[in-house]
Amino acid sequence: MAYEVAPEIAAKRLPVLVDLKWPEAEKDADPEAKPSLRTLRFRDRAPSSPAALAKAGVKFAFYSGGIAAPKDILKAAKKSIDAGLASDAALRAMTLSPAEIFGVADRLGSIENGKIANLIVTDGDLFEEKTKIKMVFVDGHRFEVHEPEKPKEPPKGDLTGKWKLSYTTPDGAEVSTADIVMAKDGSLSGSIESPHGAANILTGYLSADKFSFTINIVLEQGASDVTFSGIFDGSSMKGSIAVMGMSLDFTGLKPAGAGSSAVAILGGAQ
């Protein structure tokens, strides 16, 4: 609700972190329950908070909150632009402003000689839906841009939900937690939690009973793509993990009582 108190925040000279997960109605809410006018106004005005902060001269930065899919982060930022924030201010809230707030602007946040080269190159405005990312550089190293894979056949079932993935690496047995979200066309999104850290699903799909999804995690040898692929039978999944020239077998089961969720977490292997 910074739209109500932006001048007061400016007077205190406080930096602000803005959660891009804008308030919305709960998916499992009682359809008969009618939200109050105050609640409706709050949902409508929340994306205008960044514009109000910018107008008041408050330094602010965006963070993803509970959003897992990178594309949804950009869509959420676009809502603040539609609510009055200048696009260059939105870009700054994702780059230089957070670097300044956290005291690392001497190394990150802008394209300057001597700074770490974390860059993306697009063919248009970053926040426009049709814009494509052409190149990505992390610490000066170029990475492949993954075009989303599309399922060739209608999906048989739904992969949405929390999964326990088990596999054995050269270093021993590992378990990762997967919380996958599947769109109606079979496209997969989410993020990954493993012994090697967290990562988002870059691209993925379920076509008939066959699935594939890819993440990128940092292993001892550096950032590496990890692709899970296999067969889904409605209650379990099994297949292989392709990582750094190796192929590891894995199985996936839903823990007892695990339901669907809006995020995805999956693990890498070494």
Side-chain angles (χ1 to χ4, degrees), residues 2 5 26 38 45 48 57-58 67 84 93 95 97 101 125 131 136 138 140 168 217 219 230 245 252 268:
V5 293
E26 295 182 9
R38 177 179 175 81
R45 294 195 62 190
S48 70
V58 176
I67 302 174
T95 53
S97 289
I101 291 171
D125 187 323
T131 295
V136 176
V138 179
T168 300
I217 56 175
L219 302 175

Side-chain angles (χ1 to χ4, degrees), residues 4 33 100 106:
E4 290 189 349
E100 291 173 342
D106 60 327

Side-chain angles (χ1 to χ4, degrees), residues 11-186:
K12 295 288 186 180
R13 298 190 177 185
L14 297 172
V16 174
L17 301 181
V18 179
D19 187 349
L20 281 173
K21 189 169 178 58
W22 306 119
E24 57 184 10
E26 295 182 9
K27 292 181 173 61
D28 299 326
D30 182 355
E32 300 297 325
K34 294 184 178 180
S36 67
L37 180 60
R38 177 179 175 81
T39 297
L40 292 174
R41 185 181 294 117
F42 173 49
R43 292 175 188 166
D44 178 65
R45 294 195 62 190
S48 70
S49 285
L53 291 170
K55 183 178 180 180
V58 176
K59 181 173 292 185
F60 68 94
F62 289 140
Y63 73 99
S64 59
I67 302 174
K71 63 180 181 180
D72 292 336
I73 295 173
L74 292 178
K75 287 180 180 178
K78 181 63 164 58
K79 284 188 178 181
S80 70
I81 294 171
D82 294 339
L85 182 67
S87 59
D88 59 345
L91 184 60
R92 197 182 201 284
M94 289 183 161
T95 53
L96 186 55
S97 289
E100 291 173 342
I101 291 171
F102 287 101
V104 292
D106 60 327
R107 289 165 280 161
L108 298 166
S110 60
I111 304 173
E112 296 181 60
N113 187 35
K115 289 192 176 183
I116 297 172
N118 294 338
L119 309 168
I120 64 170
V121 180
T122 70
D123 63 1
D125 187 323
L126 178 63
F127 301 106
E128 291 299 326
E129 187 174 355
K130 294 183 179 180
T131 295
K132 293 185 180 296
I133 295 175
K134 309 300 289 186
M135 288 183 281
V136 176
F137 295 85
V138 179
D139 197 13
H141 299 285
R142 180 174 173 174
F143 287 83
E144 179 183 353
V145 177
H146 297 269
E147 288 292 334
E149 297 180 78
K150 296 297 183 181
K152 297 177 181 178
E153 300 179 56
K156 293 181 178 179
D158 190 351
L159 273 172
T160 297
K162 295 183 179 179
W163 296 84
K164 177 183 177 182
L165 306 181
S166 303
Y167 47 90
T168 300
T169 77
D171 294 328
E174 289 187 0
V175 173
S176 296
T177 304
D179 190 357
I180 304 174
V181 173
M182 192 182 83
K184 291 182 179 179
D185 68 352

